[in-house]
Amino acid sequence: MSTNLAYRIGAWCWITTGAVHTVLDVILDMLPKSFSENEIQDAMRSHTFDLPGLKRSYNDLLNGFSLGIGILLILVGVLFLMLGRAAGQARAAALTGLLGSVVLLINAAALLPLPPIIMFSVASVAFGMALWAPGRNRAQPAHRRACLNEPRGTVLGVEGVNR
């Protein structure tokens, strides 16, 4: 597996996890609930507290954080894809992706169901492969790679220019 493909798999794991989380969050909120689930939601709605200048319920906080996390996972995955294309940023981005994926994997293993555990396991392995794969030549800027491939005495195809 190429370094670039492994890196993209890691980034897409974040995007997929965020998208599925957000869609399921919205769908599950619209589905009918059991009697006990309704009691829990009613209790969460009835317990309000003041945040600086705002009155919110525990249900508001739970829903707000849940939607926010899903959206943030999507955005971070997109940023990983963008950083992976930026010249000279691939190694730093892969390291950041690995560290973030491992932290979220630990969180998922302790507190969440199986799907995020699987997704962040795959993301951790993918970013790790991208980081430690041999031939990390792609992390160099495009103009530098071109110079390395030119015959001695040429720079980007121009004869007689010394490097």
Side-chain angles (χ1 to χ4, degrees):
M1 177 182 302
S2 76
T3 301
N4 195 26
L5 177 60
Y7 180 88
R8 286 194 325 262
I9 288 171
W12 276 103
C13 282
W14 281 66
I15 294 168
T16 304
T17 303
V20 170
H21 173 85
T22 303
V23 168
L24 285 177
D25 204 23
V26 171
I27 290 173
L28 291 175
D29 198 41
M30 295 186 309
L31 292 177
K33 295 173 183 40
S34 70
F35 177 75
S36 60
E37 289 172 326
N38 280 330
E39 282 186 333
I40 292 169
Q41 268 201 328
D42 289 342
M44 288 176 63
R45 283 188 188 106
S46 66
H47 287 80
T48 60
F49 52 92
D50 287 325
L51 291 173
L54 300 170
K55 190 173 203 108
R56 295 287 186 240
S57 70
Y58 284 100
N59 194 57
D60 294 337
L61 235 57
L62 178 67
N63 288 335
F65 277 121
S66 186
L67 284 172
I69 290 297
I71 293 166
L72 283 174
L73 287 171
I74 295 168
L75 292 175
V76 168
V78 169
L79 287 173
F80 279 139
L81 289 176
M82 292 169 66
L83 279 173
R85 292 178 182 224
Q89 297 301 313
R91 185 164 172 75
L95 178 61
T96 304
L98 175 62
L99 293 175
S101 298
V102 168
V103 167
L104 289 179
L105 173 59
I106 292 167
N107 178 66
L111 302 170
L112 299 175
L114 195 55
I117 295 170
I118 293 169
M119 294 303 285
F120 286 114
S121 295
V122 172
S124 297
V125 169
F127 281 125
M129 288 175 66
L131 187 62
W132 284 294
R136 287 185 295 262
N137 185 11
R138 72 175 186 83
Q140 297 174 348
H143 71 277
R144 180 78 177 123
R145 283 194 308 263
C147 289
L148 292 174
N149 294 329
E150 290 292 327
R152 187 142 183 88
T154 65
V155 173
L156 300 176
V158 178
E159 292 289 331
V161 178
N162 291 326
R163 286 184 239 178

